[in-house]
Amino acid sequence: MDGIFYGIGVGPGDPELLTVKAIHAIKEADVLIAPKTEKKDGSVALHIARPYLKPGIEIVYQVFPMVKGFEKDDSAWEANKAEILSLLRAGKNVAFLTLGDPMFYSTYIYVYRLLAQEDVEVRTIPGVPAFAAIGSRVGYPIVEGDDVLAVIPATAPKEKIERALSTADNVVLMKVYKNADEVISLLEAHDLSQQAVLVSRAGLPEERIIRDISAHKGEPLNYLSTILTRHN
């Protein structure tokens, strides 16, 4: 009998934010897939889930190239899919760990679509997205009443970001790192910088909270950086 494939959201950083369902699935797994970048060793998602791993569990690291190049060269993705399928066909339960929520700006979405083409059982378990954890962590209501919320990747084109800033009442900006100064300038131009709070690596030991974002222009930021803001 084939194993079950679990897509597990481990939240933004604090291991205590994993759901009971996620913890049960991790304990059911025979193999953990830990996604990692090509440039760095280790896996943040694995670090978060580590308190719940059973002794002797097999850990498989997989590198997933940037999604932008997926259509041009999907060989790495297909190789990862083949490895996962071989484990499932061997009767092993396989858990794929992902930061935040599996269906929210996640590599898992593409893995899910690849496996949906196959005759395997897939169970996706939601996790706490970073912006939700940050709102609670710093006491910042994300939306209330009839507020309209925009969730924007800071990696989006400038014009797209500006349109969202102009129309939404409240804003979540994720992946604020490479172009942080440009993003802060956009928030200043839309009168959104004074109300903003930036949190980097939420729930992890290196967590950083910045409330005066304009005073921190020019400083390097981690990829896992999120800004919450709202119009007055």
Side-chain angles (χ1 to χ4, degrees):
M1 182 185 295
D2 290 349
I4 300 169
F5 183 77
Y6 296 93
I8 303 174
V10 299
D14 182 352
E16 293 187 352
L17 289 180
L18 266 75
T19 65
V20 173
K21 194 177 188 72
I23 293 169
H24 284 167
I26 289 170
K27 291 180 177 179
E28 285 292 317
D30 302 300
V31 182
L32 283 182
I33 301 294
K36 65 185 288 290
T37 65
E38 295 173 278
K39 297 179 181 179
K40 295 182 179 180
D41 291 329
S43 163
V44 177
L46 177 60
H47 170 77
I48 296 167
R50 194 169 288 282
Y52 309 109
L53 304 189
K54 64 186 180 184
I57 190 167
E58 181 181 353
I59 298 173
V60 175
Y61 291 93
Q62 289 190 340
V63 175
F64 290 89
M66 294 299 289
V67 173
K68 288 182 179 178
F70 182 78
E71 292 181 358
K72 294 180 181 178
D73 182 7
D74 64 354
S75 57
W77 291 80
E78 289 292 341
N80 289 339
K81 171 187 170 182
E83 184 174 31
I84 291 170
L85 283 175
S86 69
L87 293 167
L88 293 171
R89 301 302 186 208
K92 296 180 179 180
N93 292 330
V94 179
F96 184 98
L97 304 179
T98 184
L99 290 172
D101 180 84
M103 294 297 188
F104 196 90
Y105 292 131
S106 171
T107 300
Y108 171 78
I109 295 169
Y110 305 94
V111 177
Y112 174 82
R113 286 174 177 157
L114 287 171
L115 290 176
Q117 304 167 14
E118 307 295 332
D119 183 22
V120 295
E121 183 177 354
V122 178
R123 299 180 187 176
T124 304
I125 300 170
V128 177
F131 68 85
I134 288 168
S136 296
R137 173 76 173 87
V138 301
Y140 195 109
I142 298 168
V143 282
E144 52 190 307
D146 58 358
D147 287 345
V148 174
L149 176 69
V151 181
I152 313 165
T155 51
K158 180 180 177 182
E159 299 75 21
K160 205 169 185 180
I161 296 175
E162 289 202 286
R163 284 199 302 272
L165 295 180
S166 300
T167 56
D169 299 302
N170 298 6
V171 174
V172 171
L173 276 155
M174 304 186 72
K175 307 174 188 175
V176 183
Y177 66 116
K178 284 193 298 188
N179 60 337
D181 286 2
E182 181 183 27
V183 168
I184 293 170
S185 294
L186 284 174
L187 294 178
E188 290 170 342
H190 287 266
D191 295 321
L192 287 163
S193 60
Q194 293 294 321
Q195 306 82 255
V197 60
L198 184 153
V199 178
S200 179
R201 294 182 71 81
L204 292 165
E206 309 87 353
E207 179 184 81
R208 186 181 180 198
I209 300 172
I210 299 173
R211 295 185 184 274
D212 184 1
I213 62 172
S214 295
H216 291 269
K217 279 185 175 180
E219 295 183 11
L221 290 173
N222 184 268
Y223 173 77
L224 300 175
S225 295
T226 300
I227 291 176
L228 306 184
T229 188
R230 64 166 73 93
H231 286 283
N232 283 324

mmCIF file of all heavy atoms in Angstrom, residues 134 137 199-209:
data_model
loop_
_atom_site.group_PDB
_atom_site.id
_atom_site.type_symbol
_atom_site.label_atom_id
_atom_site.label_comp_id
_atom_site.label_asym_id
_atom_site.label_seq_id
_atom_site.Cartn_x
_atom_site.Cartn_y
_atom_site.Cartn_z
ATOM 1 N N ILE A 134 2.382 37.929 13.526
ATOM 2 C CA ILE A 134 2.962 39.241 13.832
ATOM 3 C C ILE A 134 1.914 40.161 14.447
ATOM 4 O O ILE A 134 2.181 40.875 15.421
ATOM 5 C CB ILE A 134 3.564 39.868 12.562
ATOM 6 C CG1 ILE A 134 4.842 39.113 12.173
ATOM 7 C CG2 ILE A 134 3.874 41.354 12.772
ATOM 8 C CD1 ILE A 134 5.356 39.453 10.785
ATOM 9 N N ARG A 137 1.587 39.159 17.929
ATOM 10 C CA ARG A 137 2.855 39.363 18.654
ATOM 11 C C ARG A 137 3.045 40.813 19.070
ATOM 12 O O ARG A 137 3.497 41.098 20.179
ATOM 13 C CB ARG A 137 4.015 38.917 17.745
ATOM 14 C CG ARG A 137 5.413 39.211 18.283
ATOM 15 C CD ARG A 137 5.807 38.241 19.369
ATOM 16 N NE ARG A 137 7.185 38.425 19.760
ATOM 17 C CZ ARG A 137 7.585 39.293 20.700
ATOM 18 N NH1 ARG A 137 6.704 40.035 21.324
ATOM 19 N NH2 ARG A 137 8.863 39.398 21.016
ATOM 20 N N VAL A 199 8.501 43.310 11.047
ATOM 21 C CA VAL A 199 9.029 42.223 11.876
ATOM 22 C C VAL A 199 9.790 41.260 10.978
ATOM 23 O O VAL A 199 9.281 40.802 9.951
ATOM 24 C CB VAL A 199 7.912 41.483 12.637
ATOM 25 C CG1 VAL A 199 8.504 40.336 13.451
ATOM 26 C CG2 VAL A 199 7.166 42.444 13.552
ATOM 27 N N SER A 200 11.002 40.971 11.375
ATOM 28 C CA SER A 200 11.867 40.064 10.631
ATOM 29 C C SER A 200 12.069 38.785 11.439
ATOM 30 O O SER A 200 12.292 38.839 12.650
ATOM 31 C CB SER A 200 13.213 40.745 10.373
ATOM 32 O OG SER A 200 14.098 39.908 9.671
ATOM 33 N N ARG A 201 11.934 37.636 10.773
ATOM 34 C CA ARG A 201 12.114 36.316 11.385
ATOM 35 C C ARG A 201 11.235 36.163 12.637
ATOM 36 O O ARG A 201 11.703 35.820 13.730
ATOM 37 C CB ARG A 201 13.589 36.055 11.709
ATOM 38 C CG ARG A 201 14.450 35.966 10.466
ATOM 39 C CD ARG A 201 15.895 35.664 10.757
ATOM 40 N NE ARG A 201 16.112 34.303 11.203
ATOM 41 C CZ ARG A 201 16.198 33.230 10.407
ATOM 42 N NH1 ARG A 201 16.072 33.369 9.098
ATOM 43 N NH2 ARG A 201 16.421 32.029 10.903
ATOM 44 N N ALA A 202 9.949 36.397 12.444
ATOM 45 C CA ALA A 202 8.985 36.347 13.543
ATOM 46 C C ALA A 202 8.994 34.998 14.246
ATOM 47 O O ALA A 202 8.902 33.956 13.602
ATOM 48 C CB ALA A 202 7.584 36.646 13.017
ATOM 49 N N GLY A 203 9.108 35.020 15.560
ATOM 50 C CA GLY A 203 9.055 33.801 16.350
ATOM 51 C C GLY A 203 10.342 33.009 16.405
ATOM 52 O O GLY A 203 10.415 32.003 17.124
ATOM 53 N N LEU A 204 11.355 33.438 15.665
ATOM 54 C CA LEU A 204 12.654 32.759 15.681
ATOM 55 C C LEU A 204 13.607 33.481 16.629
ATOM 56 O O LEU A 204 13.362 34.629 17.005
ATOM 57 C CB LEU A 204 13.233 32.726 14.259
ATOM 58 C CG LEU A 204 12.465 31.831 13.274
ATOM 59 C CD1 LEU A 204 12.861 32.142 11.833
ATOM 60 C CD2 LEU A 204 12.690 30.362 13.589
ATOM 61 N N PRO A 205 14.700 32.861 17.031
ATOM 62 C CA PRO A 205 15.616 33.499 17.996
ATOM 63 C C PRO A 205 16.134 34.864 17.537
ATOM 64 O O PRO A 205 16.395 35.736 18.360
ATOM 65 C CB PRO A 205 16.759 32.483 18.112
ATOM 66 C CG PRO A 205 16.124 31.166 17.787
ATOM 67 C CD PRO A 205 15.092 31.471 16.740
ATOM 68 N N GLU A 206 16.253 35.061 16.220
ATOM 69 C CA GLU A 206 16.797 36.318 15.702
ATOM 70 C C GLU A 206 15.702 37.327 15.387
ATOM 71 O O GLU A 206 15.925 38.280 14.629
ATOM 72 C CB GLU A 206 17.609 36.064 14.423
ATOM 73 C CG GLU A 206 18.657 34.976 14.531
ATOM 74 C CD GLU A 206 18.085 33.582 14.228
ATOM 75 O OE1 GLU A 206 16.855 33.455 14.059
ATOM 76 O OE2 GLU A 206 18.886 32.637 14.160
ATOM 77 N N GLU A 207 14.512 37.149 15.950
ATOM 78 C CA GLU A 207 13.395 38.049 15.663
ATOM 79 C C GLU A 207 13.786 39.520 15.893
ATOM 80 O O GLU A 207 14.449 39.853 16.870
ATOM 81 C CB GLU A 207 12.214 37.699 16.559
ATOM 82 C CG GLU A 207 11.005 38.601 16.360
ATOM 83 C CD GLU A 207 9.890 38.298 17.333
ATOM 84 O OE1 GLU A 207 9.972 38.772 18.494
ATOM 85 O OE2 GLU A 207 8.949 37.566 16.959
ATOM 86 N N ARG A 208 13.315 40.357 14.970
ATOM 87 C CA ARG A 208 13.612 41.794 15.062
ATOM 88 C C ARG A 208 12.327 42.564 14.790
ATOM 89 O O ARG A 208 11.642 42.311 13.796
ATOM 90 C CB ARG A 208 14.687 42.145 14.025
ATOM 91 C CG ARG A 208 15.201 43.560 14.106
ATOM 92 C CD ARG A 208 16.240 43.782 13.019
ATOM 93 N NE ARG A 208 16.781 45.131 13.054
ATOM 94 C CZ ARG A 208 17.435 45.707 12.045
ATOM 95 N NH1 ARG A 208 17.627 45.025 10.918
ATOM 96 N NH2 ARG A 208 17.885 46.934 12.152
ATOM 97 N N ILE A 209 11.990 43.521 15.656
ATOM 98 C CA ILE A 209 10.791 44.341 15.501
ATOM 99 C C ILE A 209 11.212 45.794 15.300
ATOM 100 O O ILE A 209 11.943 46.356 16.118
ATOM 101 C CB ILE A 209 9.873 44.216 16.737
ATOM 102 C CG1 ILE A 209 9.430 42.757 16.936
ATOM 103 C CG2 ILE A 209 8.653 45.123 16.596
ATOM 104 C CD1 ILE A 209 8.685 42.514 18.228
#
